Amino acid sequence: MKAPLSWLKDYVDIDVTPEVLQEKLFSCGFEVEELLYAGAEIDRCVVGKIERIVPHPDSDHLQICTLNCGSFGEAIQIVTGAHNIKEGDLVPVALDGSSLHGGVKIKKGKLRGVESCGMLCSGEELGITDDWYDGAEVNGILILRGDIPVGTDIKKVVGLDDYIFDIAVTSNRPDCQSIYGIAREVAAVLKKPLAALDLTYTAGEETTSGSVRVSVEAPDLCPRYIAHRVTGLKGGKSPQWMRRRLALCGLRGIGNIVDITNFVLLELGQPMHAFDLSKVQGGQIVVRRAAKGETITTLDEKEFSLTRENLVICDAEKPVALAGVMGGLNSGIGEDTAEVLFESAKFERANIRRTSRALGQKSDSSARFEKGVDAYTTGIAINRALHLVCELGCGTVAADRWDIVAPAAQARPVSVKTRFSAINGLLGIDIPKEEIKDILTRLYFSVSTRGDELTATAPAFREDIEGFPDLAEEVIRMHGYDSIEGTFLARASVTGGGLNAAQRAEERAKAVLRGQGYCEAVTYSFISPKDYELLRLHGEAERAIRIKNPIGEDMSLMRTTLAPSMLAALVRNIRRGNEGARLFELANIYLAHELPLASLPEERRTLCFGLYGEGEDFFSAKGALEALAASFGVRFGYAPAQRPFLHPGKTAEVTLGGAVVGYLGELAPDLAEELSVEARVYLGELDYAALAAAADLTVHCSPLPKFPEVRRDLAIVVGEDVSCAAAEAVIAESCKYVTCVRLFDVYRGEQVGVGKKSMAFSLTFTPRDKAVSPEDADGYVKRILKALHEKLGADLR
């Protein structure tokens, strides 16, 4: 938001430099993104008086002027081609070595053999329009009015000798999105009085209620609506001071009525609109939700199709304004407008934000309504606008008005009861009671005290105050954040720092996966309902938590699985031409205990990983899980499974202690085709919380064996339904000396029979107390074969 220094000085006696004020604003919570000097480009340009004009001896269109520029020279010769000047005129003179708008440099030179020691300037060369100084847009030299001393810096004459503060107003301080709002803060921080706004006006005999009826059918979206009629309009330009103020803030003067609404918007932060009453059919104003498919053409000549989510201002027949965003083209003010209806209203900010974004229509009004406008300022603004109508003499104010207030907008200002000790306890420093009371009083709180007790009633324009922490924030930003000292909380204790056990476990998991060649990915916790539909997880979206005010439909649900985000990341890499990738994400999923929410959802830590590329297969992905299990001291089990988005024959569920904790598989071919993905993509998801709970991170040490290990190969014939995991489990259970079982071959064919398969394992026997002899090894193998036959029906091949 832009705040000119000259405008702020209308309300506060500012006796510090702009740079010091910038620092003070920053210290009390307002970041000045940029401090601009309006005349930064203009240098060595002064007021000069034309003493003599003679024709150029070698040109039909050039003239030689002799000027008096005071202390800069009483006989400065300048050659010009302008013909709207005469002797005695006061004009802007760019002297030798000066600079003008756009970075133009002026140097002494010769024109057709005659020396010219500068240049006479037009408004364009100074970078100004008629809004800054009347006559600035003429085709020729700017002629200055009044008795101005020669040699005066031209910036002081045309209003360029001013500073503009570009202030970032945080979303919790909508009361400061105006010049007067910033002036309140300046007055508080400088400990100076704030000048009151002149809200007086003289009303005529005409009435508002006698010519127009106003009704609000959507009080939830429009808590307060004020309408006041002005008749006998006298159109024309606004006075120079008003147009210059608008120009400093980046707005052009349009006409006195429109300029008044823009002026009040900037001064008080209250968007206003003026309807041409002759175009309001039926003498009615109705604030309601739009009908589905209803259309409106706004002042910028854009047509929009509306929904029930949009709030409109209507007459008896049609919408005449898009509430909080922009007026309608069919009710705009024209040159023949004789009477207007001023509107000042408070609209529900979330609705204005949704409307503005849905329609792609932004305006100064919508920007302020989105942050919030309080009902108190709505009434102040209409009075200020009517005062300006009277001051400018551009109309007659009606004797009454419509002021419709919903019960919610009639709420009394918040009163906070607390203790001085509570405020100081929160801040961690001891601020005297009198200073706390003085700060709150300067910020327009009504304060009463009794011993350590403090009761502070927030001003009507401060809708952000809720409790004593807000009071503490107000106190410390005026007292100074630099006075805060580092202190411990009441229940704090000194620790050695570092990571806790859970954090160390997560770092271990990430290190293992990085060691397997995976890169960590971080994605949003919000996903789209379409993501569930894409993965054929029908009904899952109904179990997800919906965001109340989502950025968009694509980020409207809290995810219950990481798979959509991981798949999107992998597909994005494929489409960008990356030949291979291994990614993982360790993050929360959000599981509601019930919907709608009655309690906080479970935030469960989950691990998801995905990969694709040359040489990658199902067992590449499984290897990451095995490495993770080994590092956490657990053993995963695997069994065939089905997932709607994975290959039906290449998917396994992951078990731990008999419970399913995840899955692993290849992306379903039809889904890969739908995504135009030719590479084989593998996805896995694991309940990390269950893994961490079962983990044994104790370091176990054992001496190296004294005797050499013995290895034997064993090939067995089993039914097709027997898994490798089942065979490995039987082998490990049947002989305590087996320390490693590794499958190295699977064979199917006529030699083993129909419905059979051959699996070949490499077995490692590790001796403990004595060496394993060939006879011992043969005995171990026989014992293993017997167990395999009894439990799995296996035979030696």
Side-chain angles (χ1 to χ4, degrees), residues 75 77 133 165 213 247 290 335 394 444 460 486 576 606 634 761 787:
Q77 179 175 290
Y133 197 91
F165 296 86
R213 294 197 59 81
E335 294 181 0
C394 57
Y444 312 101
R576 290 179 179 176
T606 303
V634 299
F761 295 92

Side-chain angles (χ1 to χ4, degrees), residues 573-593:
N573 275 275
I574 293 172
R575 289 176 178 172
R576 290 179 179 176
N578 294 325
E579 296 180 355
R582 287 188 172 194
L583 303 176
F584 79 90
E585 181 174 15
L586 181 55
N588 288 341
I589 59 173
Y590 303 86
L591 307 175
H593 300 294

Side-chain angles (χ1 to χ4, degrees), residues 584-712:
F584 79 90
E585 181 174 15
L586 181 55
N588 288 341
I589 59 173
Y590 303 86
L591 307 175
H593 300 294
E594 70 286 307
L595 288 175
L597 287 176
S599 59
L600 291 176
E602 178 186 1
E603 300 183 26
R604 195 162 186 84
R605 297 297 278 174
T606 303
L607 174 67
C608 188
F609 62 95
L611 64 159
Y612 73 89
E614 185 178 356
E616 304 287 21
D617 58 17
F618 178 90
F619 297 103
S620 301
K622 182 184 175 185
L625 287 177
E626 289 299 293
L628 200 61
S631 178
F632 277 68
V634 299
R635 187 180 183 87
F636 288 136
Y638 304 91
Q642 298 290 326
R643 288 289 187 281
F645 55 92
L646 296 179
H647 194 298
K650 298 181 181 180
T651 301
E653 64 182 17
V654 183
T655 61
L656 179 60
V660 177
V661 295
Y663 62 84
L664 173 67
E666 180 184 325
L667 188 66
D670 56 339
L671 180 54
E673 183 178 355
E674 183 179 342
L675 293 170
S676 301
V677 171
E678 297 181 359
R680 294 181 182 271
V681 176
Y682 299 90
L683 288 173
E685 192 167 14
L686 189 66
D687 184 348
Y688 175 80
L691 171 63
D696 179 9
L697 302 180
T698 306
V699 177
H700 298 277
C701 299
S702 58
L704 294 172
K706 299 178 181 179
F707 308 100
E709 295 178 334
V710 176
R711 291 182 175 84
R712 291 290 178 90

Side-chain angles (χ1 to χ4, degrees), residues 3-57:
L5 180 63
S6 59
W7 203 343
L8 293 174
K9 285 184 174 180
D10 281 355
Y11 315 118
V12 185
D13 178 19
I14 300 174
D15 55 1
V16 296
T17 65
E19 292 75 17
V20 171
L21 182 58
Q22 177 184 17
E23 291 298 322
K24 288 186 176 293
L25 284 170
F26 182 80
S27 69
C28 67
F30 294 91
E31 180 186 357
V32 180
E33 295 183 332
E34 194 172 8
L35 178 58
L36 304 168
Y37 182 53
E41 294 182 317
I42 311 300
D43 185 41
R44 284 182 58 80
C45 188
V46 300
V47 175
K49 182 176 183 180
I50 301 176
E51 302 284 0
R52 182 166 173 255
I53 301 176
V54 298
H56 192 289

